[in-house]
Amino acid sequence: MLRFLNHSFKKAVVLLTLLTGYGHAQCTTRRCLAEMLIKKEYLSQPQTENCTQNIFVKFLEYQTLSVDTKSLLLISRLRATLEWTDPDLAWNTSVYQFNEVILPVSKIWSPELHVTNGITTEMSHSSPDLLANSKGTVIHSVIINAQVICEVNLFNYPFASDKCPVAIQGWSRMGCGTNLVFGELKTVIASSGEWETGNATLERKRSDRNFILVPLSIKSTQPFITLVLPSILIVLADAVSFALPLGGGERNGFKVTLVLSFTMSLIILNDELPGDGECSPIIRFHFCCCLVILVVSMLWSMVMTRLSAEGRFGLFRRSKGPVSGNAGGGNAKEDEEVKAEVGVDVLGGVKEDGQILKKVVNFLEAIDGKTRESDRNQRFASKLDHIFFWFYLNSGIATLPTSNSVMVALTFSVLHRMF
């Protein structure tokens, strides 16, 4: 019996020796070590006594891809280099003489980052692999694409500028989860359409609330040229149109064309104008002032044309009623005398020269009276038109520069959404 046990013990020692030697021979490469770590299948978060895992964001790069001015959406891209410690992935360098090894990200646990105030957030791995060292430290990079509702203050559009928060957090519930510790932040300064991004800064609201404060400003040159400048030029053309004469209809036709053209341009530009947000852009007030000025100028020109032609402001002509018998008796007798005289002239060829000259003079005096009345009406209408022109010019000079100055200088603060 003792002999049998001694023989079994020797066989067990030989077997263990073979297995140990085989194991050392198998893990003489990095790939062998990686496969050994993969077989552990540690897919859950490393859990310490306080149930919180610190994630060091060693490097964070922010870039604004675009800004949807109409919907007030900030579309951004973040690239983060993460570092955390997983003690179960550590190994003894005296046994496995490698300091680093590459592991597939899908085979071990890795943290997830979220933009908590974004309507859509998509995180992807910048590489299918990550780097782990012998102390259990893991280094990995991720990319986050997010759309954030950013209530930018557009009151000063197209000279608007504001700051938009982008809140970035890890997962945590009831004291368990991940805690982000940020390092360096880099901002990719680039133009995104009509918007420019300034240097972003890392801010903290609470110990578990971190966000990137992104300064945004509009490149005012393009919207000023395409929106503000045409409206100013149209009002200027309307002011110059006062040099056209009141009669003939050229001025009225020109002013009607300006009003219709400006109205159609506003309808077309409605899709390009920014959304209201909390503060409606003052450029809408600018366009409203321009349209009111053009319409008032057009109506005034029509009224002055009527006054110049007929000497009254009435919108409707007064129709002449039927002539009564008493009132028209004298005229009837006078007509009969004229017919009798004409008959005598035709029949007898006899008519005194004085009566003919008198009628010619009366006719010429009537024409001269109408001419003088027409001239008087035109002078009166022209005088009123000149007075209105100076009032119109001063009002335009006061209104348009004032609205543009307000767009540049006056600011309002907007309380951004809590997250």
Side-chain angles (χ1 to χ4, degrees):
M1 183 66 181
L2 183 61
R3 184 178 179 182
F4 175 75
L5 291 174
N6 189 22
H7 180 70
S8 300
F9 178 77
K10 289 181 179 180
K11 291 176 63 177
V13 170
V14 172
L15 182 60
L16 290 174
T17 303
L18 291 175
L19 289 175
T20 305
Y22 177 75
H24 283 287
Q26 185 182 16
C27 290
T28 56
T29 62
R30 293 180 186 270
R31 189 172 187 180
C32 173
L33 177 59
E35 291 296 329
M36 184 190 71
L37 295 175
I38 290 172
K39 289 179 181 179
K40 292 183 178 181
E41 296 183 353
Y42 288 139
L43 299 177
S44 61
Q45 174 188 322
Q47 301 182 27
T48 58
E49 294 181 358
N50 60 3
C51 198
T52 301
Q53 176 70 32
N54 286 330
I55 307 297
F56 296 94
V57 185
K58 298 179 62 177
F59 177 78
L60 181 62
E61 181 183 85
Y62 174 85
Q63 180 181 4
T64 299
L65 298 181
S66 64
V67 180
D68 189 341
T69 310
K70 189 70 174 177
S71 303
L72 300 179
L73 283 179
L74 173 66
I75 303 173
S76 56
R77 176 181 181 270
L78 297 95
R79 185 170 64 90
T81 301
L82 310 178
E83 180 180 309
W84 69 95
T85 300
D86 190 344
D88 295 321
L89 295 179
W91 65 86
N92 190 350
T93 54
S94 62
V95 179
Y96 309 100
Q97 298 179 359
F98 305 105
N99 291 323
E100 297 91 9
V101 68
I102 298 174
L103 300 176
V105 69
S106 60
K107 298 300 182 178
I108 67 170
W109 176 86
S110 61
E112 288 190 3
L113 304 184
H114 305 277
V115 177
T116 55
N117 64 333
I119 56 175
T120 60
T121 303
E122 180 183 352
M123 192 194 86
S124 60
H125 301 283
S126 60
S127 172
D129 299 313
L130 49 76
L131 183 66
N133 64 24
S134 59
K135 295 182 181 180
T137 303
V138 184
I139 301 175
H140 184 48
S141 296
V142 295
I143 297 174
I144 303 174
N145 293 306
Q147 293 185 2
V148 179
I149 297 178
C150 183
E151 296 180 353
V152 181
N153 184 5
L154 294 173
F155 178 80
N156 303 92
Y157 185 89
F159 305 99
S161 62
D162 203 354
K163 294 183 178 180
C164 185
V166 179
I168 179 170
Q169 308 295 335
W171 180 89
S172 62
R173 288 292 184 277
M174 300 179 65
C176 291
T178 56
N179 178 43
L180 299 183
V181 180
F182 289 91
E184 179 186 359
L185 172 64
K186 177 185 177 182
T187 306
V188 178
I189 305 297
S191 298
S192 304
E194 62 180 5
W195 289 86
E196 288 182 334
T197 304
N199 289 317
T201 57
L202 276 170
E203 305 287 342
R204 171 172 288 191
K205 180 177 293 186
R206 298 194 324 232
S207 60
D208 59 341
R209 290 292 183 268
N210 303 287
F211 61 93
I212 304 171
L213 199 58
V214 183
L216 298 171
S217 60
I218 293 181
K219 295 181 291 184
S220 58
T221 303
Q222 180 179 356
F224 180 82
I225 293 176
T226 57
L227 297 177
V228 180
L229 185 59
S231 61
I232 296 176
L233 294 178
I234 289 176
V235 174
L236 179 62
D238 183 72
V240 175
S241 69
F242 278 93
L244 296 175
L246 285 173
E250 291 87 356
R251 183 201 283 193
N252 294 339
F254 183 74
K255 288 181 177 292
V256 170
T257 302
L258 288 180
V259 171
L260 294 179
S261 301
F262 189 71
T263 304
M264 290 301 299
S265 65
L266 290 183
I267 294 174
I268 295 172
L269 291 174
N270 185 53
D271 294 335
E272 302 297 329
L273 293 178
D276 288 339
E278 293 189 11
C279 296
S280 181
I282 197 174
I283 194 173
R284 298 181 185 274
F285 173 76
H286 169 80
F287 287 141
C288 181
C289 289
C290 292
L291 185 59
V292 169
I293 289 173
L294 293 175
V295 171
V296 170
S297 174
M298 177 189 68
L299 296 178
W300 176 265
S301 180
M302 291 179 178
V303 172
M304 288 299 100
T305 301
R306 180 68 178 273
L307 178 64
S308 175
E310 300 183 8
R312 56 193 175 86
F313 293 99
L315 298 178
F316 303 99
R317 294 177 180 269
R318 290 180 295 179
S319 60
K320 296 182 179 180
V323 181
S324 61
N326 295 331
N331 294 333
K333 291 180 180 180
E334 191 173 333
D335 292 341
E336 290 177 359
E337 292 177 358
V338 173
K339 291 180 180 179
E341 292 175 357
V342 173
V344 172
D345 290 340
V346 174
L347 296 175
V350 180
K351 184 175 177 60
E352 293 182 0
D353 295 338
Q355 293 179 351
I356 296 175
L357 292 175
K358 184 179 180 180
K359 292 182 180 182
V360 171
V361 169
N362 291 336
F363 176 74
L364 293 176
E365 287 179 349
I367 294 177
D368 185 60
K370 290 183 179 179
T371 302
R372 288 196 301 270
E373 182 181 4
S374 177
D375 292 340
R376 185 171 59 253
N377 294 336
Q378 289 180 3
R379 286 194 300 270
F380 180 65
S382 178
K383 184 177 181 180
L384 291 180
D385 196 50
H386 279 82
I387 295 174
F388 178 80
F389 167 74
W390 290 111
F391 172 77
Y392 174 88
L393 187 63
N394 292 329
S395 300
I397 292 175
T399 303
L400 297 182
T402 300
S403 63
N404 290 324
S405 300
V406 170
M407 278 191 284
V408 176
L410 189 60
T411 58
F412 286 95
S413 59
V414 174
L415 181 62
H416 296 286
R417 290 186 177 181
M418 304 296 290
F419 51 86

